[in-house]
Amino acid sequence: MSHVLHRSLVQNYPTAVKGDGVYILDANNKRYIDACGGAAVSCLGHSDTDVIEAIKAQIDQIAYAHSSFFTTEPMETLADFLAARAPGTLNSVYFVSGGSEAVESALKLARQYYVEKGEPQRKHIIARRQSYHGNTLGALATGGNQWRRQQFEPLLINIHHLSPCYAYREQLADESDTAFAARLADELEQKIAELGAENVMAFIAEPVVGATMGAVPAVADYFKRMRDICSRHGILLIADEVMCGMGRTGALFASAQEGIEPDLICIAKGLGGGYQPIGATLVSDEIIQTLRQGSGFFQHGHTYIGHATACAAALAVQKRIESGQLLDNVVRMGELLQQTLVDQFGDHPHIGDIRGRGLFRGIELVKDRDSKTPFDSGLKLHAKIKAAAMQQGLMCYPMGGTLNGKDGDHILLAPPFIITEAHVDEIVTKLNLAINQALNAL
């Protein structure tokens, strides 16, 4: 009997014992190709020697120093690295231990900014349905996944949720991308007018929606419209790039691909590639200057912020990605993965949509392609696909509740940036076997 409180109390998990590039080996020496990076985390695979050596070297110097007493060289250098590459004036970086903490930090920074700016009435946050922003209470409230929120609703703060930019489901048949983006922008304008622009604090969104809907990019100009609306009303724009950022979509910052400069960006996952737990919130000069001229400090903190070993690991990960020009491989292999998925599943009677950007791809399953009717949620098709994929030696990220938190199934693929053409073939071949095995078991 395990004394670990695992995610599932009724499931037995294989024991991971070794990493070998894009593969994980279990205690029985079975190999699994990691086609999802765990949860879009393992961007360099599981055995990068440069990163491992950087971690060892940092531990030989100092593993951890509390940030209320010291700064450290790896924390300063990593912050310099990110600020130099971030959009616009996002020149300050607050390091945490994961994505939920990064979002919580962004929300608190936004609130404190307005308090110190002399606009304490600004308290409303606007987000989107079917978003995912983390599992701590503030982040969970901000996210729009009903299944994750449901039993904790009495504990959650009130957040206002709008329609997602989900073209496959939400765009009308005769509606152009421009008209769709305009309609969603009007919805934001109407919500701001309802709440009173002077009372709205922030709008938060994922540039490419990850776990909850499965790699859904926005249509062109959507984020430019949202940025313009926020700017006109003095509202902060928070980009949650925890899953889609740090190169996953082919650029270090997904916001840059949308041609916008957010006021705050949340990152994690690919920042450290799984070699150490780390996340961060990037902050604009305007916010920092307001706090500096006011209280002079950020009223927030965690024990492990700016952890020296985590920062050293993340810096090594980012240097490896840059020196190896791996973002070029993300674009190239992402296009190949998309085309291979289309070739394999484009005519599949139960695959409704294949979407994404870079090495961040989603497949939506449907009972009927023409009507886009989802499978009965009670069938738990996503869980059957995951189990079948593991039998095949494939790690993918299937989820349920794609449409509304209850109905719909999708599969998220987010393999390491180091994959080759052979890996793409292996992923799609094994995925095909797993999908058909699960469908045949219904």
PDB file of all heavy atoms in Angstrom, residues 3 8-9 23 30 33 40 103 149 167 186 190 206 231 268 273 286 295 303 326-327 329 364 395 413 423 437:
ATOM      1  N   HIS A   3       1.697   5.105   0.709  1.00  0.00           N
ATOM      2  CA  HIS A   3       1.303   6.157   1.635  1.00  0.00           C
ATOM      3  C   HIS A   3       1.227   7.521   0.948  1.00  0.00           C
ATOM      4  O   HIS A   3       0.975   8.531   1.609  1.00  0.00           O
ATOM      5  CB  HIS A   3       2.290   6.218   2.800  1.00  0.00           C
ATOM      6  CG  HIS A   3       2.220   5.003   3.673  1.00  0.00           C
ATOM      7  ND1 HIS A   3       1.222   4.790   4.591  1.00  0.00           N
ATOM      8  CD2 HIS A   3       3.026   3.915   3.742  1.00  0.00           C
ATOM      9  CE1 HIS A   3       1.416   3.637   5.204  1.00  0.00           C
ATOM     10  NE2 HIS A   3       2.505   3.085   4.699  1.00  0.00           N
ATOM     11  N   SER A   8      -5.224   9.971  -8.173  1.00  0.00           N
ATOM     12  CA  SER A   8      -6.330   9.019  -8.122  1.00  0.00           C
ATOM     13  C   SER A   8      -6.086   8.031  -6.987  1.00  0.00           C
ATOM     14  O   SER A   8      -4.983   7.484  -6.858  1.00  0.00           O
ATOM     15  CB  SER A   8      -6.456   8.266  -9.446  1.00  0.00           C
ATOM     16  OG  SER A   8      -7.384   7.200  -9.324  1.00  0.00           O
ATOM     17  N   LEU A   9      -7.111   7.815  -6.200  1.00  0.00           N
ATOM     18  CA  LEU A   9      -6.986   6.876  -5.084  1.00  0.00           C
ATOM     19  C   LEU A   9      -7.339   5.448  -5.488  1.00  0.00           C
ATOM     20  O   LEU A   9      -7.236   4.533  -4.671  1.00  0.00           O
ATOM     21  CB  LEU A   9      -7.891   7.323  -3.927  1.00  0.00           C
ATOM     22  CG  LEU A   9      -7.620   8.722  -3.376  1.00  0.00           C
ATOM     23  CD1 LEU A   9      -8.571   9.043  -2.239  1.00  0.00           C
ATOM     24  CD2 LEU A   9      -6.175   8.866  -2.936  1.00  0.00           C
ATOM     25  N   TYR A  23      11.906   9.991 -24.003  1.00  0.00           N
ATOM     26  CA  TYR A  23      11.280   8.794 -23.430  1.00  0.00           C
ATOM     27  C   TYR A  23      11.414   8.764 -21.915  1.00  0.00           C
ATOM     28  O   TYR A  23      12.376   9.296 -21.339  1.00  0.00           O
ATOM     29  CB  TYR A  23      11.929   7.523 -24.000  1.00  0.00           C
ATOM     30  CG  TYR A  23      11.723   7.350 -25.479  1.00  0.00           C
ATOM     31  CD1 TYR A  23      12.660   7.849 -26.383  1.00  0.00           C
ATOM     32  CD2 TYR A  23      10.603   6.697 -25.987  1.00  0.00           C
ATOM     33  CE1 TYR A  23      12.495   7.697 -27.763  1.00  0.00           C
ATOM     34  CE2 TYR A  23      10.420   6.533 -27.357  1.00  0.00           C
ATOM     35  CZ  TYR A  23      11.364   7.049 -28.230  1.00  0.00           C
ATOM     36  OH  TYR A  23      11.177   6.903 -29.587  1.00  0.00           O
ATOM     37  N   LYS A  30       9.824  -0.627 -19.505  1.00  0.00           N
ATOM     38  CA  LYS A  30       8.957  -0.252 -20.620  1.00  0.00           C
ATOM     39  C   LYS A  30       9.204   1.207 -20.957  1.00  0.00           C
ATOM     40  O   LYS A  30       9.315   2.059 -20.077  1.00  0.00           O
ATOM     41  CB  LYS A  30       7.489  -0.466 -20.256  1.00  0.00           C
ATOM     42  CG  LYS A  30       6.522  -0.113 -21.380  1.00  0.00           C
ATOM     43  CD  LYS A  30       5.073  -0.428 -21.010  1.00  0.00           C
ATOM     44  CE  LYS A  30       4.113  -0.029 -22.110  1.00  0.00           C
ATOM     45  NZ  LYS A  30       2.703  -0.363 -21.780  1.00  0.00           N
ATOM     46  N   ILE A  33       6.989   7.142 -24.991  1.00  0.00           N
ATOM     47  CA  ILE A  33       7.356   8.387 -25.648  1.00  0.00           C
ATOM     48  C   ILE A  33       6.475   9.501 -25.079  1.00  0.00           C
ATOM     49  O   ILE A  33       5.252   9.385 -25.015  1.00  0.00           O
ATOM     50  CB  ILE A  33       7.243   8.289 -27.188  1.00  0.00           C
ATOM     51  CG1 ILE A  33       7.788   9.578 -27.828  1.00  0.00           C
ATOM     52  CG2 ILE A  33       5.822   7.964 -27.656  1.00  0.00           C
ATOM     53  CD1 ILE A  33       8.027   9.471 -29.320  1.00  0.00           C
ATOM     54  N   ALA A  40       2.822  19.655 -20.818  1.00  0.00           N
ATOM     55  CA  ALA A  40       3.503  20.704 -21.579  1.00  0.00           C
ATOM     56  C   ALA A  40       4.667  21.293 -20.785  1.00  0.00           C
ATOM     57  O   ALA A  40       4.933  22.497 -20.855  1.00  0.00           O
ATOM     58  CB  ALA A  40       2.525  21.793 -22.015  1.00  0.00           C
ATOM     59  N   VAL A 103      -0.008  33.063 -11.433  1.00  0.00           N
ATOM     60  CA  VAL A 103      -1.290  33.732 -11.650  1.00  0.00           C
ATOM     61  C   VAL A 103      -1.737  34.459 -10.392  1.00  0.00           C
ATOM     62  O   VAL A 103      -2.190  35.616 -10.449  1.00  0.00           O
ATOM     63  CB  VAL A 103      -2.359  32.727 -12.127  1.00  0.00           C
ATOM     64  CG1 VAL A 103      -3.747  33.363 -12.147  1.00  0.00           C
ATOM     65  CG2 VAL A 103      -2.003  32.196 -13.513  1.00  0.00           C
ATOM     66  N   ARG A 149     -14.153  23.841 -10.822  1.00  0.00           N
ATOM     67  CA  ARG A 149     -14.640  24.832  -9.870  1.00  0.00           C
ATOM     68  C   ARG A 149     -15.766  24.339  -8.978  1.00  0.00           C
ATOM     69  O   ARG A 149     -15.927  24.813  -7.851  1.00  0.00           O
ATOM     70  CB  ARG A 149     -15.177  26.055 -10.640  1.00  0.00           C
ATOM     71  CG  ARG A 149     -14.171  26.862 -11.382  1.00  0.00           C
ATOM     72  CD  ARG A 149     -14.888  27.817 -12.352  1.00  0.00           C
ATOM     73  NE  ARG A 149     -15.874  28.632 -11.667  1.00  0.00           N
ATOM     74  CZ  ARG A 149     -15.664  29.856 -11.222  1.00  0.00           C
ATOM     75  NH1 ARG A 149     -14.484  30.429 -11.422  1.00  0.00           N
ATOM     76  NH2 ARG A 149     -16.614  30.551 -10.619  1.00  0.00           N
ATOM     77  N   ALA A 167     -13.060  29.045 -32.159  1.00  0.00           N
ATOM     78  CA  ALA A 167     -13.644  29.125 -33.498  1.00  0.00           C
ATOM     79  C   ALA A 167     -14.434  27.874 -33.873  1.00  0.00           C
ATOM     80  O   ALA A 167     -15.512  27.975 -34.479  1.00  0.00           O
ATOM     81  CB  ALA A 167     -12.539  29.382 -34.522  1.00  0.00           C
ATOM     82  N   ASP A 186     -16.884  43.164 -28.638  1.00  0.00           N
ATOM     83  CA  ASP A 186     -18.100  43.859 -28.188  1.00  0.00           C
ATOM     84  C   ASP A 186     -18.593  43.281 -26.861  1.00  0.00           C
ATOM     85  O   ASP A 186     -19.096  44.014 -26.000  1.00  0.00           O
ATOM     86  CB  ASP A 186     -19.203  43.738 -29.242  1.00  0.00           C
ATOM     87  CG  ASP A 186     -18.944  44.606 -30.460  1.00  0.00           C
ATOM     88  OD1 ASP A 186     -18.104  45.520 -30.369  1.00  0.00           O
ATOM     89  OD2 ASP A 186     -19.576  44.360 -31.514  1.00  0.00           O
ATOM     90  N   GLN A 190     -19.194  45.399 -23.514  1.00  0.00           N
ATOM     91  CA  GLN A 190     -20.477  45.403 -22.809  1.00  0.00           C
ATOM     92  C   GLN A 190     -20.304  45.033 -21.341  1.00  0.00           C
ATOM     93  O   GLN A 190     -20.956  45.613 -20.463  1.00  0.00           O
ATOM     94  CB  GLN A 190     -21.439  44.436 -23.501  1.00  0.00           C
ATOM     95  CG  GLN A 190     -21.901  44.899 -24.877  1.00  0.00           C
ATOM     96  CD  GLN A 190     -22.561  43.798 -25.682  1.00  0.00           C
ATOM     97  OE1 GLN A 190     -22.918  42.740 -25.143  1.00  0.00           O
ATOM     98  NE2 GLN A 190     -22.723  44.022 -26.975  1.00  0.00           N
ATOM     99  N   GLU A 206      -5.507  33.151 -21.864  1.00  0.00           N
ATOM    100  CA  GLU A 206      -4.412  32.366 -22.421  1.00  0.00           C
ATOM    101  C   GLU A 206      -4.311  32.672 -23.920  1.00  0.00           C
ATOM    102  O   GLU A 206      -5.295  32.510 -24.639  1.00  0.00           O
ATOM    103  CB  GLU A 206      -4.682  30.872 -22.259  1.00  0.00           C
ATOM    104  CG  GLU A 206      -4.846  30.394 -20.834  1.00  0.00           C
ATOM    105  CD  GLU A 206      -5.490  29.013 -20.777  1.00  0.00           C
ATOM    106  OE1 GLU A 206      -4.756  28.004 -20.841  1.00  0.00           O
ATOM    107  OE2 GLU A 206      -6.733  28.943 -20.696  1.00  0.00           O
ATOM    108  N   SER A 231      -6.559  49.033 -22.878  1.00  0.00           N
ATOM    109  CA  SER A 231      -5.778  50.276 -22.822  1.00  0.00           C
ATOM    110  C   SER A 231      -6.689  51.494 -22.734  1.00  0.00           C
ATOM    111  O   SER A 231      -6.431  52.428 -21.964  1.00  0.00           O
ATOM    112  CB  SER A 231      -4.877  50.373 -24.058  1.00  0.00           C
ATOM    113  OG  SER A 231      -3.929  49.339 -24.077  1.00  0.00           O
ATOM    114  N   ALA A 268       5.583  29.401 -16.609  1.00  0.00           N
ATOM    115  CA  ALA A 268       6.025  28.295 -15.749  1.00  0.00           C
ATOM    116  C   ALA A 268       6.401  27.135 -16.686  1.00  0.00           C
ATOM    117  O   ALA A 268       7.024  27.356 -17.716  1.00  0.00           O
ATOM    118  CB  ALA A 268       4.946  27.903 -14.752  1.00  0.00           C
ATOM    119  N   GLY A 273      11.405  23.423 -17.664  1.00  0.00           N
ATOM    120  CA  GLY A 273      11.397  22.144 -18.377  1.00  0.00           C
ATOM    121  C   GLY A 273      11.219  20.931 -17.496  1.00  0.00           C
ATOM    122  O   GLY A 273      11.510  19.808 -17.918  1.00  0.00           O
ATOM    123  N   GLU A 286       5.435  50.296 -15.702  1.00  0.00           N
ATOM    124  CA  GLU A 286       4.414  51.162 -15.116  1.00  0.00           C
ATOM    125  C   GLU A 286       3.972  50.642 -13.750  1.00  0.00           C
ATOM    126  O   GLU A 286       3.844  51.414 -12.787  1.00  0.00           O
ATOM    127  CB  GLU A 286       3.217  51.250 -16.066  1.00  0.00           C
ATOM    128  CG  GLU A 286       1.933  51.790 -15.450  1.00  0.00           C
ATOM    129  CD  GLU A 286       2.001  53.229 -15.001  1.00  0.00           C
ATOM    130  OE1 GLU A 286       2.894  53.967 -15.488  1.00  0.00           O
ATOM    131  OE2 GLU A 286       1.175  53.637 -14.152  1.00  0.00           O
ATOM    132  N   SER A 295       4.343  52.220  -1.712  1.00  0.00           N
ATOM    133  CA  SER A 295       4.783  51.474  -0.528  1.00  0.00           C
ATOM    134  C   SER A 295       6.225  51.001  -0.623  1.00  0.00           C
ATOM    135  O   SER A 295       6.887  50.788   0.387  1.00  0.00           O
ATOM    136  CB  SER A 295       3.873  50.265  -0.316  1.00  0.00           C
ATOM    137  OG  SER A 295       4.023  49.340  -1.393  1.00  0.00           O
ATOM    138  N   THR A 303       7.854  30.992   0.407  1.00  0.00           N
ATOM    139  CA  THR A 303       9.155  30.571   0.938  1.00  0.00           C
ATOM    140  C   THR A 303      10.187  30.366  -0.161  1.00  0.00           C
ATOM    141  O   THR A 303      11.349  30.722  -0.004  1.00  0.00           O
ATOM    142  CB  THR A 303       8.988  29.261   1.735  1.00  0.00           C
ATOM    143  OG1 THR A 303       8.092  29.493   2.818  1.00  0.00           O
ATOM    144  CG2 THR A 303      10.324  28.770   2.261  1.00  0.00           C
ATOM    145  N   LEU A 326      16.311  25.716 -30.925  1.00  0.00           N
ATOM    146  CA  LEU A 326      15.239  24.723 -30.839  1.00  0.00           C
ATOM    147  C   LEU A 326      13.874  25.290 -31.178  1.00  0.00           C
ATOM    148  O   LEU A 326      12.961  24.531 -31.526  1.00  0.00           O
ATOM    149  CB  LEU A 326      15.227  24.091 -29.441  1.00  0.00           C
ATOM    150  CG  LEU A 326      16.442  23.212 -29.109  1.00  0.00           C
ATOM    151  CD1 LEU A 326      16.297  22.612 -27.717  1.00  0.00           C
ATOM    152  CD2 LEU A 326      16.636  22.112 -30.142  1.00  0.00           C
ATOM    153  N   LEU A 327      13.711  26.611 -31.097  1.00  0.00           N
ATOM    154  CA  LEU A 327      12.418  27.167 -31.486  1.00  0.00           C
ATOM    155  C   LEU A 327      12.181  26.995 -32.983  1.00  0.00           C
ATOM    156  O   LEU A 327      11.031  26.864 -33.422  1.00  0.00           O
ATOM    157  CB  LEU A 327      12.316  28.640 -31.085  1.00  0.00           C
ATOM    158  CG  LEU A 327      12.361  28.925 -29.584  1.00  0.00           C
ATOM    159  CD1 LEU A 327      12.013  30.382 -29.313  1.00  0.00           C
ATOM    160  CD2 LEU A 327      11.435  28.002 -28.808  1.00  0.00           C
ATOM    161  N   ASN A 329      13.075  24.343 -34.512  1.00  0.00           N
ATOM    162  CA  ASN A 329      12.601  22.951 -34.577  1.00  0.00           C
ATOM    163  C   ASN A 329      11.154  22.849 -34.123  1.00  0.00           C
ATOM    164  O   ASN A 329      10.391  22.026 -34.648  1.00  0.00           O
ATOM    165  CB  ASN A 329      13.490  22.046 -33.728  1.00  0.00           C
ATOM    166  CG  ASN A 329      13.300  20.572 -34.060  1.00  0.00           C
ATOM    167  OD1 ASN A 329      13.463  20.163 -35.205  1.00  0.00           O
ATOM    168  ND2 ASN A 329      12.928  19.778 -33.061  1.00  0.00           N
ATOM    169  N   GLU A 364      -9.933  17.272 -31.223  1.00  0.00           N
ATOM    170  CA  GLU A 364     -11.236  17.192 -30.576  1.00  0.00           C
ATOM    171  C   GLU A 364     -12.036  16.030 -31.155  1.00  0.00           C
ATOM    172  O   GLU A 364     -12.175  15.907 -32.382  1.00  0.00           O
ATOM    173  CB  GLU A 364     -12.016  18.494 -30.734  1.00  0.00           C
ATOM    174  CG  GLU A 364     -13.332  18.475 -29.957  1.00  0.00           C
ATOM    175  CD  GLU A 364     -13.944  19.856 -29.762  1.00  0.00           C
ATOM    176  OE1 GLU A 364     -13.206  20.853 -29.836  1.00  0.00           O
ATOM    177  OE2 GLU A 364     -15.168  19.922 -29.528  1.00  0.00           O
ATOM    178  N   MET A 395       2.593   8.660 -23.985  1.00  0.00           N
ATOM    179  CA  MET A 395       2.032   9.630 -23.053  1.00  0.00           C
ATOM    180  C   MET A 395       1.396  10.753 -23.859  1.00  0.00           C
ATOM    181  O   MET A 395       2.074  11.455 -24.614  1.00  0.00           O
ATOM    182  CB  MET A 395       3.121  10.205 -22.145  1.00  0.00           C
ATOM    183  CG  MET A 395       3.747   9.217 -21.188  1.00  0.00           C
ATOM    184  SD  MET A 395       5.265   9.888 -20.454  1.00  0.00           S
ATOM    185  CE  MET A 395       4.665  11.401 -19.698  1.00  0.00           C
ATOM    186  N   LEU A 413      -1.441  17.432 -27.325  1.00  0.00           N
ATOM    187  CA  LEU A 413      -0.089  16.958 -27.594  1.00  0.00           C
ATOM    188  C   LEU A 413       0.880  18.120 -27.408  1.00  0.00           C
ATOM    189  O   LEU A 413       0.654  19.214 -27.939  1.00  0.00           O
ATOM    190  CB  LEU A 413       0.032  16.411 -29.019  1.00  0.00           C
ATOM    191  CG  LEU A 413      -0.843  15.205 -29.366  1.00  0.00           C
ATOM    192  CD1 LEU A 413      -0.712  14.867 -30.848  1.00  0.00           C
ATOM    193  CD2 LEU A 413      -0.489  13.999 -28.501  1.00  0.00           C
ATOM    194  N   HIS A 423      10.145  10.606 -34.397  1.00  0.00           N
ATOM    195  CA  HIS A 423       9.298  10.712 -33.204  1.00  0.00           C
ATOM    196  C   HIS A 423       7.869  11.106 -33.576  1.00  0.00           C
ATOM    197  O   HIS A 423       6.905  10.602 -32.993  1.00  0.00           O
ATOM    198  CB  HIS A 423       9.886  11.737 -32.229  1.00  0.00           C
ATOM    199  CG  HIS A 423      11.192  11.334 -31.629  1.00  0.00           C
ATOM    200  ND1 HIS A 423      12.255  12.202 -31.522  1.00  0.00           N
ATOM    201  CD2 HIS A 423      11.618  10.150 -31.119  1.00  0.00           C
ATOM    202  CE1 HIS A 423      13.272  11.578 -30.943  1.00  0.00           C
ATOM    203  NE2 HIS A 423      12.908  10.336 -30.695  1.00  0.00           N
ATOM    204  N   GLN A 437      -8.603   1.857 -30.382  1.00  0.00           N
ATOM    205  CA  GLN A 437      -8.826   0.873 -29.316  1.00  0.00           C
ATOM    206  C   GLN A 437      -9.878   1.389 -28.338  1.00  0.00           C
ATOM    207  O   GLN A 437     -10.790   0.646 -27.936  1.00  0.00           O
ATOM    208  CB  GLN A 437      -7.522   0.598 -28.577  1.00  0.00           C
ATOM    209  CG  GLN A 437      -7.652  -0.419 -27.435  1.00  0.00           C
ATOM    210  CD  GLN A 437      -6.335  -0.639 -26.699  1.00  0.00           C
ATOM    211  OE1 GLN A 437      -5.263  -0.494 -27.278  1.00  0.00           O
ATOM    212  NE2 GLN A 437      -6.418  -0.975 -25.420  1.00  0.00           N
TER     213      GLN A 437
END
